[in-house]
Amino acid sequence: MQKKTDVSGGVHADRDVIMGDQYNLDDLSQVEILLTEIVALLREPETRLEVSQRDRQRRAAILLHDSEGKTVKLPPQLISRLGQLQREVDLTRKEETYLTRFILDHTYAQWERLYVPLAGTLNLRPSLRLSDDADQGLSSAGVRLQDIRQALTEFEKPRVVILGAPGAGKTTTLERMALDLARSRLQNDLNTKLPFRVDMFKYQGEQNPSDFLATEWETTSLAETYGEAIASGQVCFLLDGLNQMPQADMSQRIERWAHWANREMPPGNWAVFTCRTADYIASLRLPEVHVQSLDKERMRQYFEARFGPEQADRHWRDFDRRLRSGDHRFERLARNPFMLSLLADHCDEGQGLTSSRARLMDGLAHRLLEHELSEGRQSITLTADPRGTLATMIQALSRLAFTMQTRAEGTSLTRAEAEKVQINDKGDLQLSLAEVLSLALDAHLLAETTLVRKEQRETGFIFYHHLLQEYFAARHLLTLFRQGKSLRSYVRLPWRWRQVFPKRLGSGEQLPTLPVTGWEETVMMAASLTGKDMPKFVTAVQQDNLPLAGRCLAEADPGQDEALRPLVEEMRTKLLARQRKVKKRTFESLRSAQILRRRIAAGLALGELDHPDLQPQTFSYEGKTVWAILPPLQQVPAGMFLLGSDLDDPQAYSDEKITQRRQGLPAFQIGRYPVTNTEYRLFIEAGGYQDDRWWSQAGQQWKEGGPEAHADAIQDWLDTRKNFSEMNLEKIAQERGWRPQNLRYWQRMVDLSAEEAHQQASRQFERPFDRPAYWDDSELSSPARPIVGINWHEAEAYCRWLSAVAEQIFRLPAELEWEKSARGTDGDIYPWGDEFESNLCNSVESHIYITTPVGLYPQGTSPFGLFDASGNVWEWTASWY
């Protein structure tokens, strides 16, 4: 290959090769010769792939760094020419052309350097029947994954669904998987699957999934047919965005895919689905991988990959300072991979860091369009009035996005469908649809795709990221609202209880979440953009969806606007009332389950808006301002109470049975609620895990990690496994209401060898010990839920820290104190009496199987006013068990 100088100065001139300059890319025979040289480079394991950072748009050049230090620069137009070549080359070269296109496409190539592995959990969601002693054990949180791709490789789950929040990195993970598979297969690893990416918004639902996939397969121009490829078990299906399928009959559509994945797909093939957690309303009956939000270490890894070591240090200092400022809304943004990338853009451009998603999306849209209009890449029609063009483009894209969302037929439009949208208002500047689409494609806001409508292939358009579509749709929704249009059809959930809860739940079945409208993210972003119209907008939403109205207010960061304080207080009061609203004599009905779900939704929204009983406040400590929450306390007067369980009590554990006796205690106070994530978050942000003053010697040893530090916990799990190996697990599952995956988990565990079992138990502790075990689980760590995944050392350290900061003594209660607080003075078995009532606490009988917001069960409080004294979570005391 001929050496040439990179005139742009991006790499060393004496070692550069700019491939493509010596070839005529209009001549496919020349492209094929170039392909041969590229494939030879890619087949070398040492060859590194990089996207030119001079321009991170789709037109970016691809750089290949070989083992000798040479850098080969590939022109961006090469990808489209390889697509044409794919249809023309000899059958023997079709696959290598197909794989090379994956590797050199900016969409996939960028993740060679920028991808940060995402942590997650496999298969099981936490089960909350904590009164079942150690039967759930370490399995209750599922199998911990430091990289969610381990589900397919290390844990050999060839069919999985990846679930996560918007922007959690689900699609990015699929793209990195496609890149890895393509590189490995091109290097002649015959065991590697052939990546086949399918965007699920294309699936209209009329077809059988196999027929749909066969149609999509034809676009690959591979030598083998779809049937031949899957029969040989060589395909990895990357099926992205179940939530972007048409909303009509979503449950039935998912059921078709469940049948395909479990019954029709031949063994040997892999299938990886992705879906937003909130939209996963029906099950694929596949193992679930729940993506965890980013921890600080992974955030820092992204900064280093994005900026390089030197610039990363500079940007990270300001970013980390903001992370430690006590703004939990900013922290939630930063823990989301997509939002983190936008915050990094702000760092790169010297802009201030915001805690508003809508403002980040607004900045992204304007930045991409302004870049195109200022670089002289567009026609004079568009650049003659850049400001006018920008405003017209924003309006046009907002109407296109709103139309996509309103049609509920997937997240795409064909050109014919787009032509029916009125994209311009009457005015001086009128842009044609062709100009709007062309500029949006160049700006990387829209992507072009091929759609099948009535068995005909048509060119279609989709927003680059689903959140972009929701942002633009939010702008138009806000316009309609300001024009006096009702929001009801976008925010109102089905109200007939049989619509939202159609059947009774069997043993082990989980209470489904409330249905969604599909407009929740759009409505919340619209709220963030309302400005002075915020009170009016939130009031309109709350008429039909109170929890969503609370989330809208939280999304808009009301703490920054003093004028919103009365509205915030009013919303907190209403959400608290809804959370605790219980109707008598409906506890066993389907309607009761519907009401319970609405109460949970209200409690979660209240947590985002800050519970009125759990308000953060500042303290001056060691010359610094520290945020903390003083827990609301309940007074327990001095006096006698009945201690322990009778020897004949059939419900008591063997080590709890003593001769009951009267016991006296002095007066004391105890927390009204279990400690919440909101409270514990402030301890983490204050550096509580790094300050050894709060930790006992045993606690410091625990923080250091390793098998010795956790030997007792590992042995507890092994003992539980041994006990289960001698029992009828199916009978236990039936008696204790286990979910099916809990049963499957323990069935697998008892079949392990002793060595494999010890490795499995040890793996549970392969994590950083600077946060609770489930802190990166976006559901379990939501603000209103009680903190879980902490041990006694962490609970003790939190109390010491809070005592020092607040200059008051806070400690764990003694077991006697907790028992009196929880059951009263007369020895009741439960906080409310001697008879168990499933409607008064979060237990397995409620079918919730995850922690509930604190304060959800007002009728289940103890005689001294404690919430969740039974159910929901175990609680630590200062006494040995």
Side-chain angles (χ1 to χ4, degrees), residues 545-575:
N545 196 325
L546 180 64
L548 181 57
R551 293 170 66 195
C552 284
L553 198 52
E555 176 89 8
D557 197 5
Q560 303 299 315
D561 189 346
E562 190 67 27
L564 290 177
R565 184 175 295 277
L567 180 61
V568 171
E569 296 301 328
E570 177 188 353
M571 182 62 66
R572 286 173 178 155
T573 300
K574 290 181 176 180
L575 286 169

Side-chain angles (χ1 to χ4, degrees), residues 1 15-19 38 41 62-66 70-74:
M1 292 182 292
R15 293 188 298 175
D16 275 5
V17 179
I18 307 179
M19 297 182 72
I38 294 171
L41 266 175
I62 302 296
L63 307 178
L64 299 179
H65 306 285
D66 68 15
K70 287 189 300 186
T71 296
V72 174
K73 186 174 182 180
L74 304 174

Side-chain angles (χ1 to χ4, degrees), residues 214-234:
T215 301
E216 290 296 306
W217 184 270
E218 293 174 4
T219 64
T220 67
S221 299
L222 287 166
E224 291 183 301
T225 65
Y226 166 78
E228 292 169 340
I230 64 170
S232 61
Q234 61 175 310

Side-chain angles (χ1 to χ4, degrees), residues 271-325:
V272 185
F273 295 85
T274 69
C275 187
R276 287 182 176 179
T277 304
D279 296 330
Y280 194 54
I281 59 176
S283 175
L284 288 166
R285 302 190 295 279
L286 297 177
E288 299 172 4
V289 175
H290 294 263
V291 182
Q292 295 182 350
S293 52
L294 296 174
D295 56 30
K296 188 177 285 191
E297 180 182 351
R298 283 178 167 82
M299 293 181 209
R300 179 62 192 258
Q301 287 177 19
Y302 177 77
F303 268 67
E304 291 177 351
R306 171 76 180 271
F307 298 116
E310 187 175 334
Q311 286 195 53
D313 285 342
R314 177 168 56 86
H315 291 312
W316 179 257
R317 282 193 293 271
D318 293 336
F319 188 84
D320 187 43
R321 190 179 302 116
R322 181 64 186 272
L323 274 178
R324 291 184 282 105
S325 67

Side-chain angles (χ1 to χ4, degrees), residues 10 53 109 159 188 223 235 300 318 371 389 505 508 603 624 630 842:
Q53 288 300 292
R159 297 162 173 80
N188 296 318
V235 183
R300 179 62 192 258
D318 293 336
H371 178 73
T389 298
L505 295 171
K624 298 180 181 179
L630 295 182
N842 178 12

Side-chain angles (χ1 to χ4, degrees), residues 511-768:
L511 183 75
T513 56
L514 283 171
V516 295
T517 67
W519 286 84
E520 284 81 3
E521 299 296 331
T522 297
V523 171
M524 286 192 290
M525 277 204 247
S528 291
L529 299 168
T530 51
K532 60 183 177 59
D533 292 328
M534 168 68 73
K536 185 179 177 183
F537 186 90
V538 170
T539 300
V541 174
Q542 77 170 330
Q543 291 174 0
D544 295 291
N545 196 325
L546 180 64
L548 181 57
R551 293 170 66 195
C552 284
L553 198 52
E555 176 89 8
D557 197 5
Q560 303 299 315
D561 189 346
E562 190 67 27
L564 290 177
R565 184 175 295 277
L567 180 61
V568 171
E569 296 301 328
E570 177 188 353
M571 182 62 66
R572 286 173 178 155
T573 300
K574 290 181 176 180
L575 286 169
L576 186 62
R578 171 72 61 83
Q579 177 186 357
R580 296 182 178 178
K581 184 178 181 180
V582 180
K583 293 188 176 181
K584 295 182 178 180
R585 304 190 186 283
T586 62
F587 298 131
E588 302 303 323
S589 69
L590 294 178
R591 181 169 178 79
S592 173
Q594 177 210 8
I595 293 171
L596 176 60
R597 293 195 298 175
R598 294 192 174 193
R599 290 172 50 221
I600 291 172
L604 292 174
L606 180 61
E608 293 187 31
L609 203 56
D610 291 334
H611 194 291
D613 291 344
L614 301 169
Q615 292 292 301
Q617 53 186 296
T618 58
F619 296 87
S620 179
Y621 180 67
E622 296 184 336
K624 298 180 181 179
T625 298
V626 178
W627 287 88
I629 295 174
L630 295 182
L633 300 172
Q634 297 297 119
Q635 185 72 34
V636 181
M640 307 293 287
F641 77 104
L642 192 59
L643 169 69
S645 297
D646 189 85
L647 295 174
D648 296 326
D649 184 350
Q651 298 188 57
Y653 293 116
S654 59
D655 54 3
E656 293 177 330
K657 294 181 179 181
I658 62 173
T659 302
Q660 284 189 317
R661 62 179 183 272
R662 305 296 293 184
Q663 175 74 41
L665 284 176
F668 62 93
Q669 291 180 302
I670 191 168
R672 183 180 304 158
Y673 311 108
V675 175
T676 63
N677 290 307
T678 293
E679 296 167 88
Y680 201 85
R681 178 187 303 276
L682 300 176
F683 169 63
I684 297 174
E685 291 174 351
Y689 278 82
Q690 289 74 40
D691 194 333
D692 287 342
R693 286 180 296 175
W694 318 131
W695 299 82
S696 65
Q697 185 175 352
Q700 293 181 43
Q701 181 184 10
W702 170 84
K703 283 198 302 170
E704 293 173 2
E708 292 184 4
H710 308 290
D712 290 343
I714 291 173
Q715 190 59 50
D716 283 345
W717 185 89
L718 292 173
D719 291 343
T720 300
R721 172 186 169 275
K722 183 176 183 299
N723 292 336
F724 282 156
S725 68
E726 299 168 355
M727 299 178 183
N728 184 330
L729 282 178
E730 292 185 356
K731 183 179 180 181
I732 293 175
Q734 182 68 29
E735 291 174 350
R736 299 182 177 181
W738 283 1
R739 297 189 68 200
Q741 53 263 54
N742 293 69
L743 174 60
R744 291 195 298 268
Y745 174 87
W746 281 114
Q747 286 173 330
R748 289 196 305 272
M749 293 305 102
V750 298
D751 288 338
L752 297 177
S753 68
E755 182 180 355
E756 290 171 332
H758 195 277
Q759 291 175 350
Q760 174 71 25
S762 299
R763 187 181 292 119
Q764 302 291 340
F765 297 99
E766 293 174 357
R767 67 175 181 90

Side-chain angles (χ1 to χ4, degrees), residues 222-282:
L222 287 166
E224 291 183 301
T225 65
Y226 166 78
E228 292 169 340
I230 64 170
S232 61
Q234 61 175 310
V235 183
C236 176
F237 294 93
L238 302 169
L239 305 162
D240 193 24
L242 283 173
N243 52 284
Q244 296 187 52
M245 291 193 298
Q247 292 294 311
D249 302 322
M250 177 67 84
S251 295
Q252 290 89 331
R253 295 173 195 273
I254 291 181
E255 177 57 35
R256 293 189 193 107
W257 283 100
H259 181 80
W260 171 82
N262 291 287
R263 300 293 181 85
E264 295 183 18
M265 187 175 69
N269 299 290
W270 293 357
V272 185
F273 295 85
T274 69
C275 187
R276 287 182 176 179
T277 304
D279 296 330
Y280 194 54
I281 59 176

